[in-house]
Amino acid sequence: MSEVKFTVFRFDPTTDKRHRFETYSVSEKPGMTVLEGLYYIQEHLDGSLAFRSSCRAGVCGSCAMHINGTYRLACETQVKQLGATVRVRPLAHLPVMKDLFVDMEPFWRKYKSIKPYLIPGDDPGENERLQTQDERGRLDVIIDCILCAACYGSCTVNNYDEEYLGPAALLKAQRFFSDSRDQADEERLELVDGEHGVWRCHTIFNCQQVCPKTIDITGSIGVLKRNLMAKRLSPSLKKS
Amino acid sequence: MRYHQVVVVGGGLAGLRAALELNKRNVKVAVVSKVHPLRSHSVEAQGGINAPLGNHPRGSHDSPELHAFDTVKGSDYLADQQAVMRLTSDAALRIREMEHWGVPFSRTAEGKIAQRPFGGAGFPRTCFATDKTGHVLLHTLYEQCVRYEQASERGEMVIYDEQVVIALIIENGACRGVVVWDFQTGEIDVIKSEAVIFATGGAGRIFGKTTNALISTGLGMAIPYWAGVPVKDFEFVQFHPTTLFGTNILMTEGARGEGGYLLNNKGERFLANYDDSRKAMEVAPRDIVARNMTSEILEGRGFEDEYLHLDLRHLGRKKILERLPGIRDLAIRFVGVDPIEAPVPVQPGMHYTMGGIDTDATGASPVPGFYAAGECGCVSVHGANRLGGNSMLETIVFGAIAGATAAEYVLAGGTGHPPKDAIYEEARKREEARLKGMFEGTGTENPADLKEALNQTMNNNCWIFREEEKLNAGIATVEELLERYKQITLNSSGLRVNFDLLWALELGGNLAMAEVMLKGARDRKESRGSQFRTDYPTRDDQNWLKHTLAVYTEHGPKFSYSEVDVSIWEPKERKY
């Protein structure tokens, strides 16, 4: 069994003046993921290491972090694809509470600000609302978002504008905007307009590149921009 | 000290649905979850949720009665029949409510909620959103909670993330609040309340080979168990037939519902060689398929003596991408196999605890003011074997019911007297001392080693085929581990963001529930549903048509038994 080096960001703001990187030697098992490596360290080498995890199957969104140069989910990243050293840092643009464990509050606050819930205009009565397969198909992939915040960490705009809503919240806005059952287009467009909204997106595509669900986030933000423009230029234009 | 009329512990499907019900009834509710609600294990559910909607032409005659009968038969007649009728009678209402709240269900050509075949039903009854049904249901319920957190027209609703409930507060036999460890700040606090609902999920992580999230440890069952609430039917564990070899990540039953095959190393659809799966084949109920897969592997017709093949290739690229994109992605990422091109290596893995905190069909436990819903509870609607698609249904149906029952209790005045503040302060101090004591001990045991030993012994001794000798070996190991647990040492101190301490606490829950499971399994000398005893290979209604109840004592669980409600259908031999 070969050894692999884990170089891990360590920082406890209640006791440390600044962060440091510590290196741990982990014996590599076949199929080992970065998350399993972190658990090995936490359980056997240094119990104080802090990181989130839950499903270990890439669907709960707990374990997004910066691994060897890019943002990924630790649970689905194979160690053997990374070379001899695994370098791990926390998500950027969110305050570190301890090591890889960041304060997600700003992320959730922005998510909540776009009214992330269906706003239908009608009373559906007892039966389900009808939705054609085509209408439903428009939600495919967008609804795969697991709110892991990999996009938020990767977005350079989040770096200089603390109030920028960020890719995930805007994607969620587009998810409801695109739902045939939702009737709050104007309201939601208004929420994402403005200086910290869609116009801050500089179409750098970082979010899209790191998204573990390969969602076209930048394109989704583009849909909102296009419809905002259309509304401004010609209020009678149809939603596109 | 905080106060909320009702505290819901757990932010998965059952917990959030209960909270919404309380909020609708203008009861002040707080959800306390050890993870952010969207990280709950519910998010991993894939294939679907059952309801007799009749949207599929082959199921247009479906009804709550037919659904209930399939559920009762699937349970090997251990489910309580009136409770099952409640489950299936509320099913359509709850599913359509979820649709109204925004769940993006897959659709039929007419635009209705689509349904697919699942095990134990003769026709398609399982509603789905591709193979990410749990994900979309959980996100939608959370969205509704956000909506009402922000809304002013209803009572207060608060969600406390990353706060761990570590004890119940019981006064004069009634539940009056919880002790909470704030994981982010390290503070130990008390929430006073009139009632508490537990919706803390399952205990899969007792086993090594499980589909469950790392957080599904059983601590949420152990806390009420330690406080005197009985645990019901805990020996009944569902083993899911198709979990990825190596990681035991779930490959939905929907894969077989959509037409996937299970193949042995000769390329045969071997389920045809077993009496109980010959007719239904891949969509026979889970206990039967898991058992026959295990026989196949034990008799040398598996691969590497470990796994079989789940073959989806004949479904074609289009159907796989449309109906099963999630498991395709998981297979590619975790075993490097694209199901469009090659069969997927699968083996049975621990999936679900049918048993749990003892409740009636209103969600009430024997302790006034204490309720449970979802996987942590046991009504029982699943009996000895749960049908696929019924667990998520249980969460939203009985989540709503438990919320309504707790609301009625609180609005009727609860116990009628406010307890003295002293009991809260006492509980807070006791729990703070207990947690600090865990890293001030002088022991030498590493909790991770104990967890590993527990997982191994449960895999080996409490698996699909059980027998007295092995169960006794498992019990001996767990009893030894419980002793060693008293000698654990943690190398990280402090209460703030301390995972060392969190996992040590979780391990205490693991061990307690493993003991209940093993002893219940040993004492039940029959085979029923998911419990197959090689030394007692038949069902014994004469002696064992009854629920197991375990009550905590210092010397281990004390067992008693209670009647099963068979008031609608006479128990018969279970044939498919």
Side-chain angles (χ1 to χ4, degrees):
Chain A
M1 242 182 300
S2 61
E3 295 280 306
V4 58
K5 297 265 181 259
F6 271 67
T7 300
V8 182
F9 176 98
R10 302 300 310 270
F11 180 55
D12 183 344
T14 61
T15 54
D16 303 341
K17 281 211 174 97
R18 52 165 302 156
H19 72 271
R20 63 188 191 280
F21 282 90
E22 278 196 22
T23 300
Y24 306 90
S25 199
V26 175
S27 24
E28 190 183 341
K29 293 183 187 136
M32 187 186 224
T33 62
V34 171
L35 185 67
E36 287 170 321
L38 292 173
Y39 264 106
Y40 182 84
I41 297 166
Q42 201 270 326
E43 290 176 343
H44 298 284
L45 305 176
D46 187 343
S48 68
L49 180 64
F51 57 91
R52 287 188 180 93
S53 67
S54 173
C55 77
R56 64 77 176 90
V59 293
C60 79
S62 298
C63 68
M65 50 186 82
H66 190 270
I67 302 166
N68 288 35
T70 187
Y71 291 92
R72 338 181 195 215
L73 299 178
C75 71
E76 59 177 27
T77 303
Q78 300 284 323
V79 167
K80 72 169 187 299
Q81 294 169 348
L82 299 174
T85 304
V86 179
R87 297 179 61 84
V88 186
R89 286 197 281 127
L91 284 174
H93 315 138
L94 293 163
V96 173
M97 297 182 94
K98 195 177 178 198
D99 307 331
L100 306 169
F101 189 100
V102 295
D103 184 358
M104 295 284 285
E105 191 279 331
F107 178 79
W108 295 121
R109 177 164 44 81
K110 292 168 185 179
Y111 158 85
K112 289 178 182 180
S113 77
I114 59 95
K115 300 200 172 178
Y117 43 84
L118 192 78
I119 305 178
D122 57 334
D123 176 1
E126 280 181 15
N127 287 328
E128 65 256 47
R129 287 192 186 82
L130 299 182
Q131 186 171 47
T132 68
Q133 290 175 342
D134 278 351
E135 287 167 340
R136 168 59 182 76
R138 262 171 244 150
L139 305 179
D140 268 335
V141 192
I142 314 176
I143 53 168
D144 290 353
C145 174
I146 56 175
L147 293 163
C148 67
C151 55
Y152 193 94
S154 77
C155 177
T156 53
V157 180
N158 279 124
N159 189 41
Y160 69 82
D161 178 4
E162 279 187 17
E163 289 310 309
Y164 173 50
L165 290 174
L170 295 173
L171 177 73
K172 186 60 82 177
Q174 197 249 324
R175 174 253 177 275
F176 288 106
F177 185 78
S178 300
D179 194 319
S180 61
R181 300 167 297 175
D182 191 270
Q183 301 296 322
D185 290 358
E186 298 239 342
E187 192 179 351
R188 218 169 253 113
L189 285 177
E190 234 167 77
L191 289 169
V192 301
D193 202 355
E195 69 170 315
H196 305 296
V198 289
W199 308 112
R200 274 278 186 239
C201 168
H202 292 185
T203 52
I204 301 163
F205 291 92
N206 279 0
C207 53
Q208 195 152 331
Q209 195 173 356
V210 302
C211 177
K213 301 295 161 193
T214 55
I215 302 171
D216 176 12
I217 309 173
T218 316
S220 289
I221 297 172
V223 170
L224 296 171
K225 286 179 178 170
R226 192 166 69 238
N227 280 279
L228 270 164
M229 278 312 288
K231 194 167 73 121
R232 230 164 268 180
L233 296 172
S234 166
S236 61
L237 263 183
K238 266 184 83 179
K239 174 169 163 181
S240 66
Chain B
M1 202 182 306
R2 290 168 265 178
Y3 170 76
H4 299 276
Q5 282 176 294
V6 178
V7 175
V8 176
V9 182
L13 287 174
L16 296 185
R17 185 61 191 80
L20 283 168
E21 191 65 26
L22 286 151
N23 179 254
K24 190 171 102 185
R25 292 161 187 259
N26 274 311
V27 173
K28 290 180 180 169
V29 56
V31 176
V32 184
S33 174
K34 65 181 175 184
V35 292
H36 186 280
L38 293 177
R39 314 315 188 199
S40 304
H41 180 55
S42 301
V43 85
E44 287 195 72
Q46 296 173 347
I49 178 164
N50 295 337
L53 300 183
N55 286 354
H56 194 284
R58 276 168 50 213
S60 55
H61 61 295
D62 205 358
S63 68
E65 288 76 17
L66 289 174
H67 182 182
F69 176 72
D70 287 344
T71 302
V72 167
K73 183 179 170 191
S75 82
D76 221 348
Y77 292 91
L78 194 70
D80 289 319
Q81 298 185 357
Q82 299 292 347
V84 174
M85 273 307 299
R86 182 73 201 268
L87 176 78
T88 60
S89 302
D90 284 10
L93 170 73
R94 291 290 164 245
I95 298 280
R96 290 186 175 126
E97 176 180 70
M98 291 301 304
E99 194 282 328
H100 297 163
W101 284 341
V103 170
F105 283 110
S106 294
R107 299 287 172 160
T108 65
E110 305 83 51
K112 295 179 179 174
I113 295 171
Q115 296 183 282
R116 65 165 41 133
F118 249 48
F123 46 80
R125 178 185 287 142
T126 305
C127 311
F128 62 96
T130 67
D131 57 356
K132 298 167 186 178
T133 315
H135 168 86
V136 297
L137 288 172
L138 185 65
H139 278 247
T140 300
L141 274 186
Y142 182 68
E143 287 156 12
Q144 291 300 305
C145 288
V146 169
R147 172 179 166 195
Y148 289 110
E149 248 183 343
Q150 296 176 346
S152 53
E153 74 262 25
R154 290 190 185 178
E156 152 201 272
M157 171 151 68
V158 185
I159 298 179
Y160 297 116
D161 302 341
E162 295 183 330
Q163 303 203 13
V164 189
V165 166
I166 51 176
L168 291 185
I169 296 170
I170 300 211
E171 194 235 13
N172 282 336
C175 186
R176 304 307 304 256
V178 291
V179 184
V180 178
W181 170 30
D182 185 329
F183 192 73
Q184 294 184 357
T185 66
E187 189 195 5
I188 309 277
D189 192 15
V190 159
I191 305 182
K192 290 166 75 164
S193 68
E194 313 297 328
V196 173
I197 300 176
F198 263 43
T200 55
R205 288 285 155 182
I206 296 174
F207 293 85
K209 291 191 278 188
T210 176
T211 60
N212 284 198
L214 301 167
I215 58 172
S216 298
T217 62
L219 181 61
M221 296 157 170
I223 287 170
Y225 168 63
W226 288 322
V229 186
V231 169
K232 194 197 285 172
D233 290 343
F234 209 61
E235 60 270 33
F236 293 102
V237 175
Q238 178 156 85
F239 297 90
H240 196 288
T242 52
T243 78
L244 276 185
F245 175 56
T247 54
N248 300 103
I249 288 170
L250 182 64
M251 293 283 108
T252 176
E253 183 165 324
R256 284 170 286 130
E258 297 292 349
Y261 296 149
L262 283 170
L263 304 176
N264 63 16
N265 65 12
K266 297 173 179 163
E268 292 169 346
R269 288 176 71 193
F270 58 89
L271 291 170
N273 305 331
Y274 296 84
D275 283 345
D276 50 2
S277 58
R278 184 168 292 132
K279 200 166 151 220
M281 295 294 287
E282 279 83 0
V283 289
R286 290 176 178 176
D287 56 335
I288 294 170
V289 178
R291 215 156 31 234
N292 295 345
M293 288 174 74
T294 307
S295 298
E296 206 65 13
I297 295 167
L298 288 173
E299 288 164 20
R301 291 185 294 277
F303 299 88
E304 302 174 44
D305 289 332
E306 291 275 10
Y307 60 88
L308 294 155
H309 276 162
L310 173 65
D311 195 349
L312 306 181
R313 288 174 295 182
H314 56 286
L315 303 182
R317 166 180 287 270
K318 186 167 177 283
K319 192 163 188 184
I320 292 173
L321 292 181
E322 243 174 51
R323 296 288 180 97
L324 304 163
I327 61 155
R328 173 180 180 248
D329 196 41
L330 289 169
I332 292 171
R333 282 179 200 266
F334 287 93
V335 288
V337 170
D338 183 346
I340 292 172
E341 286 157 11
V344 184
V346 292
Q347 63 178 192
M350 188 287 173
H351 185 55
Y352 187 85
T353 44
M354 265 76 73
I357 301 161
D358 177 29
T359 77
D360 61 20
T362 72
S365 81
V367 172
F370 186 76
Y371 306 83
E375 189 175 351
C376 77
C378 180
V379 174
S380 158
V381 291
H382 307 307
N385 174 62
R386 175 174 72 73
L387 291 189
N390 270 354
S391 67
M392 286 200 282
L393 179 62
E394 184 197 11
T395 64
I396 58 171
V397 168
F398 285 97
I401 290 172
T405 310
E408 282 162 21
Y409 172 80
V410 167
L411 296 173
T415 58
H417 73 280
K420 294 196 176 68
D421 276 355
I423 67 154
Y424 294 109
E425 185 51 21
E426 197 183 295
R428 196 194 67 74
K429 277 189 177 153
R430 186 189 66 227
E431 288 302 312
E432 188 165 17
R434 179 169 74 94
L435 259 55
K436 286 185 170 163
M438 290 183 76
F439 46 73
E440 283 162 0
T442 54
T444 53
E445 296 285 358
N446 180 350
D449 295 338
L450 305 192
K451 174 92 188 283
E452 177 62 26
L454 173 69
N455 289 166
Q456 285 304 328
T457 202
M458 295 304 284
N459 288 353
N460 295 334
N461 299 313
C462 200
W463 202 244
I464 293 168
F465 291 114
R466 298 174 173 178
E467 62 185 44
E468 181 136 339
E469 203 179 319
K470 281 188 167 189
L471 291 165
N472 277 330
I475 290 166
T477 305
V478 169
E479 284 176 344
E480 182 204 316
L481 292 172
L482 281 162
E483 282 306 308
R484 288 171 65 190
Y485 182 71
K486 295 174 186 160
Q487 302 298 322
I488 56 171
T489 185
L490 305 181
N491 62 26
S492 173
S493 62
L495 293 173
R496 198 183 147 274
V497 198
N498 186 339
F499 280 96
D500 220 12
L501 178 59
L502 178 65
W503 289 117
L505 281 177
E506 301 274 16
L507 176 62
N510 280 153
L511 288 167
M513 299 322 292
E515 187 187 20
V516 176
M517 185 179 286
L518 282 159
K519 291 183 174 173
R522 176 195 58 191
D523 289 359
R524 182 176 282 274
K525 293 181 171 32
E526 66 157 351
S527 292
R528 181 186 298 271
S530 67
Q531 151 122 331
F532 192 88
R533 289 278 304 253
T534 52
D535 41 0
Y536 300 94
T538 53
R539 196 174 87 190
D540 177 1
D541 284 348
Q542 191 83 36
N543 295 302
W544 288 103
L545 181 59
K546 54 191 182 183
H547 296 297
T548 307
L549 290 170
V551 175
Y552 174 78
T553 78
E554 272 179 48
H555 312 291
K558 187 168 166 283
F559 288 100
S560 62
Y561 297 90
S562 70
E563 267 186 39
V564 179
D565 168 15
V566 288
S567 56
I568 307 175
W569 296 283
E570 181 87 9
K572 284 195 298 203
E573 194 191 347
R574 181 170 165 242
K575 278 191 165 169
Y576 288 98

